[in-house]
Amino acid sequence: MTMLTREEIERGLAENSEAPNGAARNAHAEVLVGAAEANGDWPLFRKALDNLINAYLWSAESSKMLVPFARLLQEYDKDPGAFDRWAAHSLFWQFKWVATAISDSPEIPLESATGWLDEMERRYRIAGYSERPVREAELWLADAIGEDDRAERAYRAWLAADRDSMSDCHACELNGQGSYAVLRGDDARALEVWQPVLAGERTCAEEPHRLLAHSLLPLLRLGRFDDARSHHLRGYRMARGNESLLPSVGKHIEFCALSGNESRGLEILSEHAAHVGPLVNVDDQMAFHGGILVLLRRLTELGHGQSPAVPYEGVPRTVSELYEALRASSLDIARRFDARNGTTRVSDRFLARIGREPLVDVLPLGVRSTALPKTSAPAAAAAPVAAPAAPAAGFDELVERARQARDQGHPAADELWAEVGARVDASPEGEVDALVAADVADHRALTAARAGASNAAELLEAVRDGYQVLGQAQRAALAELRLASEAAQSGAEPGRIRELLAVAARAAESLDADEPLRGRRIALAELASIRVESYLRSLEAGPEHDHLHGPGQDHGHGELAAELGAFVAAHAEDLPDLVAEAEEMLGRVALSQGDPERALPLLASSAARSVSADRPWQAVDPLVLRAGVLMSLDRPEEAEGVARAALEHSAEVTDAETQGVVRLTLADILLRRADGAAEATEHALTAAHWFDQAGLTADGGAQARLALARAHAREGRNVVAAEVLQSTLPDLLEHGEGQAVSAREFLGDLLRELNDARAAAEQYLLAAEVAKGWEDTRPQAALAQAAAEQLAAARLHQEAVAAYERSLELYRVTGDAPVAEVRILRSLAWLAPRENVTAAAWEQARDLMDQAAGVVEAALAENGETSAAPHLRAELAQTWLQLAQVLDWRVNSLEEADQEDGGEDREDGKESPGTVVARDTEVEALRLEEIGLSERAAALYAELGPDHLGDRLQCVQYAAWTEHETGRGEAGAARLSALIDELRARPEGVAESLLERAQSSLDGLRS
């Protein structure tokens, strides 16, 4: 093997310090230590040891740092003078990591762990450091071995000791203090201590990452569900894929298992499947696997024990098999700790953890998760919005309530009849009343018909016959009508459908005159006939006359409207609930004819009749539709009131899709309000949950999550918004090109706000690709420009230039986007000398700025004195100022190059006089040009008036400081002083902050 040179080792150490954390980085660091030692370069060897310790720390192999640390400590003891101030500080700082690693390593005897702690205390005292870190390390060791009194003393001593340069950062210390409060059962105190970190006031490399995970169960236990949801979404995004944060990942998995989000927990487990196995750091292994075990046990309880989990040691495992394997290995680790510590505390706590029960049935998170498959095991279902009253104790009472709900059309009827059916099935044969059995059969046949079952007609016929035998003619007549409806639903021949409708109508009309429901049955048959006949007419007219399509065209709508109008007039007084249905249909007809103003009163009347008929749940659909119409007419305040009424009336609706639609409608409306984001978040979150319950995750659920992401973003919670949007993005991409582009652009915006420039650029580019075939090139141009900006921010300069050039090409196709063209040209000018700092690059930058000015001047000439001119003139002023700044960059580059190598024409270490004169002449010319450009920009901003005072001040400041750099400081100060006097003399006044800024700059010039 070839020995590495010093330069190669130095380069390797630099690369390794920037490499991703993990086993590969560790292995490289180990090689570099061996190479440095073989080289006999002891300063380099110490540097390599330090690099290896840091690599181990940020991985799942942190316990391996003990050996290199011991070697480094030996080097220090041999020659402390070889360690400069920073290296010595780093060594003592690493003592804290080692103390933790020793405590977390069951192979190290307790005596050795205590000895290391004593050694740490001794060395800190000699070096003059505070005992604060020592007492914290003592706390955790004492807690692990069950010495609670000692732990409490160490805790108090920790807080009492002074902070110094060896103390952990505030964020990490607060983590430990809150964690100790949790161990003592004080969740509220822990969250209070953690608040500065959770709020982002105190942060570090691993905070708030870890604390967001630590806070999850305390928040659940205290009922702070919104915070728990937010901390999970924020925290998991930070911890995902980070090897040193596997214990935190385990906490997120555990949280999902204890909050009714088992499917989400399984997805997180799958993302980290590579780490589900033995780890070098066994304490991290036990912490990570502990969270997984909570999930696996919960999945088994829900009936998923035989479902596939993730492989373990290369072998595929079911949920139950993985549970047994991880439990056995984890308990083995715990017992090794117990054996070392002389106490069962570690295993006791571990068993308590993996035995935890759910803290909430279902906590909707907002993110999309693939639903678990159905099982026969009972599962905690989402609580309905308004469950019916508890089932009656007596069977007769239950049947009576079910019949009342059925006759009233109450949404709870299905659930009540399901309970009746269950009790009937459990009763001995022959003991069930015949009418009750017929009613149960009726409910089951209707359920089959709604589901489109192939035997629905057969079941309905049996129900009809059964009711006829029992003398229940009005129920038999209703069954006849359901047979006709089922035939239409299943696509029967029009003739057959009409035949069944006629039979149903005759059955209703043949009821005894004294039958209370005779009039209702006749009206039901009439309304059904109107609805079905309209469908049949459109079917017979062919596809060119699609039913209820073609705004502004009749296609039979006039006939349908006339029939419905006659029905309303005939039954307005005696059957308000049926008339409400007819008016809702009339409203939909009006909308299909492109007449929303006619639809609005019809929908309002339909809802009002339903409420007056004591059927408020029936008002929900027309109200939701009316709210949507009002929004389309830009009447958001009215729409909000209507949507709130729909939400109120939905209290007894048990249909999950309807619940989702109501809440999504209100959320969309609230997002139009400046102060509506918080409430919109609540409704969108609940809507997504209900759509999931309805099996519509990819449809309504995706739209609800899109609204939820927008609401979170409006609240400034961009991390949570991005998590929600990314989870549902695959669904949104299937909803048409328009939504695909919009969703990707929105995600790009969120990622840009999160300073993830590469990922943001990727989303913009993918959106631009979708828009590539659109006739209007402006969306693609804007997306390419946004991508270019993010590529430049990510220092991918060549890619940024390509994206800018593509955007410029597309904008020029439109011929009406001069501002966009100008800004792109200016951006290209800034990128030109970014990687290739040559005279040609500077000339290219100048040329691009000149092109930008030319575009503005051409647009100004075309616009003349139109309203667009002020905006264009401001762009021209900005272009002049930015050209001045580019020239300043050129001057600085010349001066820096001169300082580095003394010029390009150096001979024998001396620069030729001609070169000096030429460069000084060029610098002077550039400085003068800068001043002239900033003067022109300032004058143009002055013409544009008080709205551009800040821009004008920037230009004057720039000119003044440039003069100062050329040795004409007094002239620059006079220039700025004159502007300050002018600003103070303005009768309308100016912002104090502007004057303060100007005066501060002037003071700087004169100092």
Side-chain angles (χ1 to χ4, degrees):
M1 176 177 174
T2 305
M3 182 179 293
L4 297 178
T5 65
R6 174 184 175 82
E7 291 71 21
E8 289 172 333
I9 296 171
E10 289 276 14
R11 186 165 57 251
L13 290 173
E15 293 171 354
N16 192 258
S17 64
E18 299 295 327
N21 299 325
R25 180 190 179 194
N26 295 349
H28 187 205
E30 291 165 357
V31 169
L32 293 171
V33 167
E37 186 174 19
N39 235 319
D41 188 328
W42 303 119
L44 189 60
F45 175 59
R46 292 191 292 271
K47 186 176 180 181
L49 285 172
D50 182 79
N51 175 72
L52 179 58
I53 293 167
N54 278 274
Y56 283 148
L57 174 70
W58 302 106
S59 73
E61 299 179 337
S62 57
S63 58
K64 292 174 70 173
M65 74 173 69
L66 299 179
V67 172
F69 178 77
R71 294 286 305 276
L72 191 59
L73 193 60
Q74 288 174 0
E75 291 293 312
Y76 179 80
D77 288 340
K78 283 193 299 184
D79 184 9
F83 287 68
D84 62 21
R85 182 178 178 184
W86 168 247
H89 184 277
S90 176
L91 177 70
F92 278 87
W93 187 272
Q94 290 167 353
F95 232 123
K96 299 183 297 181
W97 304 343
V98 169
T100 300
I102 290 171
S103 178
D104 292 346
S105 302
E107 294 78 15
I108 297 178
L110 187 59
E111 296 77 9
S112 296
T114 303
W116 269 97
L117 188 62
D118 292 340
E119 180 68 8
M120 178 183 177
E121 181 175 10
R122 183 184 71 82
R123 288 180 180 266
Y124 270 41
R125 185 171 60 253
I126 293 172
Y129 292 122
S130 168
E131 68 170 351
R132 193 176 179 94
V134 179
R135 299 286 76 85
E136 181 183 5
E138 181 186 10
L139 161 65
W140 299 120
L141 181 61
D143 175 74
I145 62 179
E147 294 185 2
D148 292 338
D149 291 342
R150 180 185 177 189
E152 181 64 22
R153 290 194 303 272
Y155 175 73
R156 296 185 182 281
W158 170 26
L159 298 187
D162 292 335
R163 284 186 56 82
D164 64 5
S165 64
M166 202 51 60
S167 300
D168 281 343
C169 75
H170 284 284
C172 288
E173 283 204 337
L174 292 175
N175 181 335
Q177 292 162 22
S179 297
Y180 185 60
V182 171
L183 288 175
R184 291 181 299 175
D186 195 344
D187 289 337
R189 173 60 183 160
L191 291 167
E192 181 183 346
V193 170
W194 289 336
Q195 183 54 31
V197 183
L198 296 173
E201 298 168 13
R202 301 283 189 180
T203 61
C204 72
E206 289 197 333
E207 298 298 354
H209 314 47
R210 295 183 301 167
L211 266 187
L212 288 166
H214 289 336
S215 69
L216 294 172
L217 296 194
L219 288 168
L220 284 182
R221 287 192 288 259
L222 292 174
R224 291 172 54 180
F225 300 135
D226 288 343
D227 288 335
R229 177 190 302 112
S230 176
H231 288 196
H232 167 63
L233 295 177
R234 287 173 56 205
Y236 180 60
R237 186 179 184 87
M238 293 176 172
R240 178 192 286 129
N242 191 327
E243 192 174 278
S244 69
L245 291 177
L246 288 175
S248 296
V249 173
K251 289 181 180 293
H252 284 284
I253 293 173
E254 179 180 8
F255 163 79
C256 292
L258 301 181
S259 63
N261 291 286
E262 296 83 6
S263 61
R264 165 81 169 170
L266 200 54
E267 289 173 358
I268 295 174
L269 172 59
S270 297
E271 290 179 3
H272 295 84
H275 295 292
V276 180
L279 301 177
V280 172
N281 187 327
V282 294
D283 188 67
D284 279 5
Q285 177 183 333
M286 189 167 61
F288 176 45
H289 290 179
I292 297 172
L293 284 166
V294 178
L295 172 68
L296 297 174
R297 180 181 58 79
R298 182 66 184 144
L299 289 169
T300 301
E301 291 172 351
L302 295 175
H304 299 285
Q306 299 310 307
S307 298
V310 297
Y312 180 73
E313 295 187 324
V315 179
R317 308 281 179 146
T318 65
V319 166
S320 295
E321 290 170 345
L322 184 60
Y323 177 83
E324 293 302 327
L326 295 187
R327 187 177 188 276
S329 62
S330 297
L331 282 176
D332 176 67
I333 295 170
R335 287 165 184 149
R336 284 156 56 193
F337 274 110
D338 290 346
R340 185 198 68 173
N341 297 340
T343 172
T344 60
R345 167 155 292 185
V346 173
S347 57
D348 289 344
R349 283 180 174 171
F350 183 78
L351 288 169
R353 179 188 185 187
I354 65 174
R356 283 172 178 153
E357 293 298 323
L359 296 168
V360 59
D361 285 343
V362 178
L363 175 62
L365 299 177
V367 290
R368 186 203 200 284
S369 291
T370 302
L372 296 172
K374 301 275 186 192
T375 69
S376 57
V385 172
F395 181 69
D396 292 343
E397 182 183 348
L398 175 63
V399 170
E400 181 59 28
R401 287 177 52 226
R403 284 172 175 162
Q404 288 176 357
R406 178 191 65 190
D407 295 342
Q408 191 185 9
H410 195 286
D414 287 342
E415 187 175 341
L416 289 167
W417 279 115
E419 175 64 20
V420 172
R423 296 198 187 187
V424 166
D425 291 343
S427 299
E429 189 174 351
E431 293 187 9
V432 178
D433 179 78
L435 183 55
V436 172
D439 286 341
V440 169
D442 181 33
H443 168 257
R444 290 173 175 171
L446 180 58
T447 301
R450 289 170 178 165
S454 59
N455 64 339
E458 180 183 342
L459 293 173
L460 287 168
E461 288 172 353
V463 167
R464 175 200 61 196
D465 297 342
Y467 276 134
Q468 287 175 343
V469 169
L470 293 171
Q472 296 290 316
Q474 61 90 7
R475 296 297 305 170
L478 185 58
E480 295 282 16
L481 185 57
R482 287 175 177 166
L483 275 165
S485 298
E486 189 280 332
Q489 180 180 328
S490 60
E493 290 294 323
R496 175 59 178 163
I497 296 170
R498 289 188 173 104
E499 178 185 337
L500 291 171
L501 283 171
V503 170
R506 289 195 298 271
E509 291 167 357
S510 65
L511 293 173
D512 292 342
D514 58 353
E515 167 58 55
L517 291 174
R518 181 176 185 273
R520 184 175 185 83
R521 293 290 179 262
I522 293 172
L524 273 173
E526 180 183 353
L527 185 58
S529 180
I530 292 172
R531 181 185 291 113
V532 175
E533 274 295 339
S534 174
Y535 161 71
L536 293 176
R537 285 196 297 269
S538 68
L539 194 65
E540 292 168 339
E544 67 275 13
H545 299 295
D546 287 342
H547 183 56
L548 294 185
H549 285 283
Q553 302 180 38
D554 189 82
H555 298 335
H557 294 160
E559 186 175 355
L560 174 60
E563 292 169 347
L564 290 169
F567 183 89
V568 169
H571 302 288
E573 299 300 325
D574 56 327
L575 296 170
D577 60 313
L578 296 184
V579 170
E581 288 186 39
E583 285 185 320
E584 181 182 348
M585 291 176 62
L586 277 169
R588 293 181 184 276
V589 169
L591 289 175
S592 71
Q593 293 177 314
D595 193 350
E597 294 292 351
R598 180 160 58 91
L600 287 174
L602 289 166
L603 295 171
S605 178
S606 172
R609 287 186 195 275
S610 296
V611 173
S612 67
D614 291 328
R615 296 189 176 202
W617 55 86
Q618 190 176 310
V620 172
D621 284 348
L623 286 173
V624 167
L625 184 57
R626 187 166 187 262
V629 173
L630 288 166
M631 284 298 290
S632 71
L633 296 174
D634 199 23
R635 292 156 65 178
E637 291 184 4
E638 292 177 70
E640 182 181 337
V642 173
R644 290 192 184 281
L647 182 62
E648 177 186 354
H649 294 319
S650 71
E652 295 177 89
V653 173
T654 57
D655 178 65
E657 181 179 0
T658 301
Q659 291 291 350
V661 168
V662 172
R663 284 162 173 76
L664 177 56
T665 299
L666 183 53
D668 283 337
I669 293 169
L670 287 167
L671 283 172
R672 294 277 294 270
R673 262 179 39 187
D675 60 346
E679 189 181 355
T681 297
E682 174 189 344
H683 293 305
L685 178 68
T686 310
H689 174 68
W690 282 112
F691 282 124
D692 289 348
Q693 295 297 306
L696 298 170
T697 297
D699 300 306
Q703 299 306 318
R705 288 184 172 88
L706 177 59
L708 178 60
R710 294 196 184 284
H712 281 315
R714 284 271 300 279
E715 292 182 285
R717 301 164 72 183
N718 292 323
V719 173
V720 178
E723 281 294 292
V724 170
L725 185 57
Q726 282 181 307
S727 76
T728 199
L729 185 63
D731 296 326
L732 294 172
L733 297 180
E734 299 300 320
H735 290 196
E737 287 187 351
Q739 182 140 88
V741 168
S742 175
R744 285 203 184 277
E745 182 180 15
F746 180 26
L747 181 54
D749 293 344
L750 291 172
L751 294 169
R752 181 192 63 209
E753 292 297 321
L754 295 174
N755 297 317
D756 193 345
R758 283 175 178 260
E762 179 184 11
Q763 292 303 321
Y764 291 137
L765 289 172
L766 288 170
E769 187 64 24
V770 175
K772 194 173 183 178
W774 294 2
E775 183 177 351
D776 184 356
T777 61
R778 283 171 295 185
Q780 187 189 354
L783 289 164
Q785 183 179 2
E789 291 167 357
Q790 293 307 296
L791 289 166
R795 300 178 183 272
L796 298 171
H797 299 137
Q798 293 182 2
E799 293 84 349
V801 168
Y804 273 130
E805 289 176 345
R806 177 59 178 157
S807 177
L808 184 62
E809 177 186 353
L810 291 165
Y811 275 127
R812 284 174 171 167
V813 170
T814 69
D816 62 354
V819 172
E821 287 188 52
V822 167
R823 292 179 178 177
I824 291 171
L825 287 166
R826 291 200 304 244
S827 296
L828 285 168
W830 283 104
L831 286 172
R834 188 66 64 178
E835 290 185 331
N836 188 20
V837 185
T838 63
W842 292 113
E843 285 306 312
Q844 183 187 7
R846 178 191 286 274
D847 179 63
L848 287 163
M849 283 292 184
D850 289 342
Q851 288 183 44
V855 169
V856 182
E857 289 163 350
L860 281 168
E862 184 177 340
N863 280 275
E865 296 302 319
T866 66
S867 59
H871 185 47
L872 291 169
R873 293 169 73 197
E875 289 295 331
L876 181 58
Q878 184 60 215
T879 302
W880 288 335
L881 178 60
Q882 287 198 30
L883 176 54
Q885 293 167 334
V886 166
L887 297 179
D888 182 65
W889 184 13
R890 170 59 171 158
V891 169
N892 291 333
S893 72
L894 288 170
E895 293 174 344
E896 288 171 5
D898 180 48
Q899 291 172 0
E900 289 177 5
D901 59 25
E904 297 172 358
D905 297 323
R906 185 168 296 279
E907 183 177 345
D908 296 328
K910 295 183 179 180
E911 191 172 11
S912 67
T915 300
V916 174
V917 171
R919 188 181 60 250
D920 290 348
T921 301
E922 181 181 359
V923 167
E924 178 68 16
L926 289 170
R927 289 298 191 199
L928 290 174
E929 187 176 1
E930 287 179 56
I931 295 169
L933 286 164
S934 53
E935 283 179 333
R936 290 169 67 190
L940 189 46
Y941 279 132
E943 294 176 13
L944 291 170
D947 289 344
H948 291 275
L949 283 176
D951 297 317
R952 183 182 171 196
L953 173 59
Q954 182 186 11
C955 295
V956 173
Q957 284 176 311
Y958 190 89
W961 279 101
T962 305
E963 286 183 311
H964 178 78
E965 290 177 5
T966 58
R968 296 187 289 273
E970 286 301 319
R975 181 193 299 274
L976 188 54
S977 181
L979 177 60
I980 292 173
D981 292 342
E982 178 191 331
L983 294 177
R984 286 177 173 157
R986 282 180 173 268
E988 70 274 20
V990 295
E992 191 62 33
S993 60
L994 195 68
L995 285 171
E996 290 175 359
R997 185 173 124 207
Q999 188 62 51
S1000 175
S1001 186
L1002 180 60
D1003 294 342
L1005 280 169
R1006 288 175 170 170
S1007 62

